[in-house]
Amino acid sequence: MPIHNRIADESAEITAWRRHLHTIPELLYDTVDTAAFIAEKLAEFGCDIVETGIGRTGVVGIVHGRSGAGGPMIGLRADMDALPIIEASGAAYASTRPGSMHACGHDGHMAMLLGAARALARTRNFAGSVALIFQPAEEGGAGAKAMIEDGLFTRFPIRRVYGMHNLPGLAVGRFAMRDGPIMAATDEFAFAIEGRGGHAAIPQKTADPILAGTALVGALQQIVSRNADPLDSLVVSVTEFHSGFAHNVIPDTAQVSGTVRSLSAQTRDQVEARMGAIAQGIAAIHGVSVALTYRRNYPVTRNHTAEVAAAAKAAAFVAGQDAVDRFCPPLMAAEDFSYMLEERPGAFIFIGNGPSAGLHSSAYDFADEAIAYGASYWISLVEQSLSGSDEAS
């Protein structure tokens, strides 16, 4: 597969950065060593501004183009945090921190953006400025939201923002993207069922929370099959059911919880309303009380048309038009880059990681051969977006 490789002489060094970052995984906002490494590299590259501590441990590097600080600014984001997983990849550069692992490829995301940062700071073949955003706490901590609340878009005049994530199963050297929703909103629900326990041999004197809970689980599946528009993707998954303590005792309580994934605000609202109604119905039928706690997490990651077109053009310049899937299906996983896309127009795309283990697997590893594609994409995106395709081609 052809590649317009912008870092050909530097791939080995950037790979070494990636592998070093892989050895020092840090969770959520505790990305102290990772952020220090990033900030040191950005300063070494000659970034015009390096700011740390944004959203607690986020780092932003600013590179001005050939005309200095004037002109528009775009943002490029990489996530920094790891996962609480015991690594089983067998890599020579495996995690040195038991119980933490880069099992989602954020080490590769950082390395690709660092490689692009050095090239952009050296060549400055663009008019305007680029913000290199290294974000903590993507894995459930809403680090993007924290950086925004700490002034990411007010301290830096970012007009458009772009993100990228590796995708196992997509061949190395390929890119995938789409207009509109590309990743789902994620919500969490928990039902607390309170009945009346007693002897299992005398069930008529009890209000069985387990029976109510099993009915609840079945009823929740009807939201997808009978309430949601079949053309609007929705996932309702019960993932926990806790109750009981002995084989001959009907317990007093049960807890049922899980996750909801949706691609539209209307469906999201509908699910929460239906769960409340189902809770009332189950309570009435079984003579128990059912309390619902519904917590909204990351919103839908929704791409903007013009920025997806810019991303597709840059990806095609790097890897060829045939390597770009412009209409990939959305994923029902979630991504907190969604908060940035609510604030600024932008695009979130996927880059191939080949036939690796899946994301969040203890056997996962980022494909180093993808680094040249990702870093080259970032460079081309900046040059084309801020300088025009004629100068970038």
Side-chain angles (χ1 to χ4, degrees), residues 194-247:
E194 186 169 348
R196 185 175 63 256
H199 200 296
I202 316 173
Q204 71 275 16
K205 294 185 177 182
T206 70
D208 189 344
I210 293 180
L211 184 61
T214 57
L216 175 63
V217 171
L220 291 176
Q221 303 311 308
Q222 297 174 27
I223 297 175
V224 175
S225 66
R226 287 297 177 267
N227 299 134
D229 184 337
L231 299 181
D232 187 9
S233 298
L234 174 66
V235 174
V236 176
S237 290
V238 174
T239 56
E240 295 181 82
F241 192 131
H242 302 286
S243 188
F245 53 90
H247 74 278

Side-chain angles (χ1 to χ4, degrees), residues 40-65:
E40 179 182 358
K41 289 298 179 185
L42 294 177
E44 176 187 310
F45 301 158
C47 289
D48 298 284
I49 299 171
V50 179
E51 293 276 355
T52 60
I54 302 174
R56 294 170 59 177
T57 50
V59 181
V60 175
I62 304 296
V63 179
H64 299 312

Side-chain angles (χ1 to χ4, degrees), residues 108-126:
H109 301 167
M110 290 184 282
M112 291 187 292
L113 189 53
L114 282 174
R118 180 161 69 177
L120 292 166
R122 182 175 60 242
T123 62
R124 299 182 186 259
N125 183 32
F126 54 95

